[in-house]
């Protein structure tokens, strides 16, 4: 929906200025004439550049999975009661706490009341919505299974939110410990050790090797820590630029899949994403080829997404899903075999749902196992650093009596 700035004449002859939202200029004029019979001037509100910055919403552009799950649940219940789609949108907008979703629903309600399909209205008014969400609703509208589409989406985003929360909760402690360790070591190296170094110098004599190494490291950090931080920041910027390029994105995705522990987690996560997305899309009425096309855009790993996208053309030319999956590089054998069983029995959607739940549990187990190993590894690493510093500091103290 576009925003227009207008100047008009009210019924009593007063000049009125304001803004109005409409799908196009003709619709905007009709809205204005409902209140002011004479439209003097109308122009679209400028966008782009500084205007987008000034009008931008503050916060992350990523859509909250929990908010989407709740919204889909509300749609499924309200639409079952027979309420019109535009009225449903307005009702849910009034109950939604997420400001971005609320604004999108209000604007979409107006678009839908003027004949715009729901999926098109959502896509226009909130471009950051996931492709899976938009295409599932579009499929539901085309096949007449909109309620089923919202129920599928509710289950999908509820599971996605649960997985994200578990992973975030599990990773919070190790990351906190690592951050504290880095800060403490930096404070010791930059602030504490220079003072102790000067004290050691006052006693004269030769210091133990460990102490000399610690002093050298401390002196280097004290003089060059700003340069080190700058190098790290520059390297991070260069890495992000490279990772956003087509070649870099693919290379990094393949590298992650080959990592000893993280690669296994990425493979399991890709399997559960593929199975759940395909089950949701097929259940909403999309063909296998269409479901593969949408799913390829939803995969977290770029290399896996390209692998899924390559299946589309083969399915369109007559190959079965199980046949093209057996040639896929990154999917586990269990997923491939179970997909074939689902096709043969005519229960592909249910089979994919079951496999998706299985790989969700496997991903969670593998993540928990990795974190269980990460915590003691971090503690051992911190103990080694702390032990080195303590020994290096106390060794010369034992020899100070020789110089007193």
């Amino acid at each position: 929906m576009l925003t227009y700035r207008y100047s008009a004449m009210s019924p009593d002859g007063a000049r009125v200025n304001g803004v109005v939202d409409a799908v196009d200029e003709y619709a905007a004029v009709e809205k204005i004439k409902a209140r002011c019979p004479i439209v003097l001037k109308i122009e679209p509100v400028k966008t782009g550049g500084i205007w987008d910055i000034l009008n931008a919403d503050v916060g992350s552009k990523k859509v909250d999975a929990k908010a989407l799950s709740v919204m889909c649940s509300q749609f499924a219940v309200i639409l079952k009661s027979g309420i019109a789609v535009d009225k449903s949108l307005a009702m849910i907008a009034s109950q939604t706490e997420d400001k971005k979703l609320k604004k999108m629903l209000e604007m979409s309600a107006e678009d839908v009341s003027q004949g715009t399909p729901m999926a098109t209205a959502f896509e226009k008014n909130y471009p950051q919505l996931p492709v899976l969400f938009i295409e599932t609703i579009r499929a539901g509208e085309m096949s007449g299974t909109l309620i089923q589409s919202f129920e599928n989406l509710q289950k999908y985003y509820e599971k996605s939110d649960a997985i994200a929360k578990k992973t975030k909760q599990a990773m919070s402690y190790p990351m906190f410990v690592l951050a504290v360790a880095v800060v403490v070591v930096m404070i010791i190296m930059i602030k504490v050790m220079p003072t102790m170094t000067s004290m050691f110098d006052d006693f004269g004599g030769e210091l133990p090797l460990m102490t000399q190494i610690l002093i050298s490291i401390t002196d280097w950090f004290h003089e060059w820590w700003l340069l080190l931080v700058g190098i790290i920041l520059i390297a991070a910027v260069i890495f992000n630029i490279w990772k956003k390029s087509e070649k870099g994105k693919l290379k990094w995705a393949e590298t992650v899949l080959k990592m000893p522990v993280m690669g296994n987690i990425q493979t399991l996560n890709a399997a559960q994403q593929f199975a759940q997305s395909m089950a949701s899309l097929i259940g909403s009425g999309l063909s296998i080829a269409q479901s593969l096309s949408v799913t390829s855009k939803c995969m977290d790993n770029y290399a896996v997404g390209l692998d899924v996208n390559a299946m589309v053309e083969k399915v369109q030319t007559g190959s079965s899903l199980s046949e093209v999956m057996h040639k896929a590089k990154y999917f586990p054998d269990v997923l491939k075999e179970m997909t074939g069983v689902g096709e043969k029995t005519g229960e592909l959607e249910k089979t994919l749902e079951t496999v998706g739940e299985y790989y969700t549990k496997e991903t969670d187990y593998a993540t928990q196992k990795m974190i269980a190993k990460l915590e003691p590894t971090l503690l051992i690493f911190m103990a080694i650093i702390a032990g080195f510093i303590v020994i290096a500091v106390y060794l010369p103290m034992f020899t100070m009596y020789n110089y007193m």
Side-chain angles (χ1 to χ4, degrees):
M1 186 170 290
L2 302 175
T3 302
Y4 294 89
R5 186 181 291 110
Y6 69 88
S7 179
M9 196 75 71
S10 67
D12 58 2
R15 189 183 182 94
V16 178
N17 296 317
V19 293
V20 63
D21 292 328
V23 293
D24 55 33
E25 190 172 326
Y26 298 103
V29 171
E30 290 299 321
K31 282 188 177 182
I32 298 167
K33 284 186 175 181
R35 291 169 290 177
C36 303
I38 302 175
V39 180
L40 302 174
K41 184 181 179 182
I42 183 170
E43 60 182 4
V45 174
K46 291 181 179 180
T47 58
I50 190 64
W51 297 98
D52 285 343
I53 297 172
L54 294 173
N55 294 314
D57 292 325
V58 178
S60 173
K61 292 184 177 181
K62 191 174 182 180
V63 186
D64 182 49
K66 180 64 177 177
L68 282 179
S69 174
V70 171
M71 185 181 74
C72 291
S73 177
Q74 291 173 325
F75 269 116
V77 172
I78 292 175
L79 290 174
K80 278 182 181 178
S81 64
I83 297 175
V85 174
D86 57 335
K87 299 294 183 184
S88 301
L89 285 162
M91 287 175 63
I92 295 171
S94 65
Q95 301 171 23
T96 302
E97 295 181 1
D98 189 294
K99 292 182 180 179
K100 293 179 180 179
L101 285 178
K102 185 181 184 72
K103 181 180 178 182
M104 180 272 290
L105 289 168
E106 290 172 345
M107 297 172 69
S108 297
E110 197 165 344
D111 285 347
V112 170
S113 66
Q114 296 175 14
T116 304
M118 184 190 288
T120 304
F122 282 175
E123 191 174 23
K124 182 177 69 172
N125 295 319
Y126 201 164
Q128 289 80 27
L129 284 169
V131 176
L132 176 70
F133 180 83
I134 297 295
E135 294 302 326
T136 302
I137 293 174
R138 182 172 284 124
E141 287 183 296
M142 293 174 64
S143 61
T145 58
L146 189 58
I147 295 173
Q148 180 65 39
S149 295
F150 277 117
E151 289 177 344
N152 291 341
L153 287 170
Q154 186 267 327
K155 293 176 185 176
Y156 177 83
Y157 286 112
E158 190 174 33
K159 290 176 182 176
S160 298
D161 180 61
I163 293 169
K165 282 183 177 177
K166 280 184 179 180
T167 304
K168 187 176 180 180
Q169 185 178 10
M171 287 297 294
S172 58
Y173 176 71
M175 295 309 296
F176 173 76
V177 171
L178 183 61
V180 170
V182 170
V183 171
V184 169
V185 170
M186 288 182 68
I187 291 173
I188 291 173
M189 301 298 285
I190 296 171
K191 295 293 183 183
V192 178
M193 285 308 300
T195 304
M196 300 191 74
T197 301
S198 62
M199 183 182 70
F200 292 147
D201 290 340
D202 292 339
F203 284 97
E206 187 177 352
L207 294 172
L209 179 61
M210 287 183 67
T211 307
Q212 292 180 30
I213 294 172
L214 182 60
I215 290 172
S216 299
I217 295 172
T218 301
D219 291 341
W220 189 91
F221 266 97
H222 191 260
E223 187 173 355
W224 300 103
W225 71 273
L226 278 174
L227 177 63
L228 179 63
V229 171
I231 291 172
I232 292 172
L233 290 175
I234 292 171
V237 170
I238 293 173
F239 175 74
N240 281 327
I241 293 173
W242 172 77
K243 201 169 71 169
K244 288 179 180 178
S245 67
E246 184 69 22
K247 184 178 179 180
K249 196 188 300 184
L250 178 59
K251 188 66 178 177
W252 176 248
E254 291 175 340
T255 302
V256 171
L257 287 168
K258 293 175 183 177
M259 290 181 180
V261 178
M262 188 57 68
N264 180 50
I265 294 174
Q266 283 280 311
T267 301
L268 293 171
N269 183 61
Q272 70 91 7
Q273 276 190 321
F274 177 86
Q276 290 185 352
S277 299
M278 289 292 290
S280 178
L281 292 165
I282 292 170
S284 299
L286 264 69
S287 66
I288 300 294
Q290 290 172 322
S291 299
L292 284 169
S293 179
V294 174
T295 299
S296 69
K297 301 172 186 175
C298 305
M299 304 302 292
D300 288 344
N301 188 282
Y302 186 67
V304 178
L306 290 179
D307 207 21
V308 174
N309 190 55
M311 300 179 191
V312 177
E313 187 177 350
K314 296 175 184 177
V315 169
Q316 288 174 337
T317 55
S319 299
S320 66
L321 178 59
S322 58
E323 287 175 352
V324 297
M325 283 192 66
H326 274 288
K327 297 176 183 177
K329 293 185 285 186
Y330 305 111
F331 287 133
D333 291 336
V334 173
L335 176 60
K336 297 175 182 179
E337 296 298 332
M338 290 301 293
T339 302
V341 171
E343 280 191 308
K344 290 176 183 177
T345 59
E347 297 287 341
L348 182 58
E349 180 189 347
K350 290 183 179 179
T351 303
L352 287 171
E353 283 182 2
T354 304
V355 176
E357 290 175 2
Y358 167 76
Y359 278 111
T360 298
K361 293 176 182 177
E362 286 294 305
T363 304
D364 183 50
Y365 174 73
T367 303
Q368 295 293 338
K369 189 176 178 181
M370 179 194 72
I371 293 168
K373 293 179 179 178
L374 180 63
E375 289 179 7
T377 302
L378 285 175
L379 291 175
I380 292 170
F381 178 70
M382 289 171 58
I384 291 172
I385 294 177
F388 176 80
I389 293 173
V390 170
I391 294 172
V393 168
Y394 277 95
L395 269 178
M397 290 184 180
F398 293 126
T399 59
M400 283 178 187
Y401 295 104
N402 298 327
Y403 305 105
M404 293 176 66

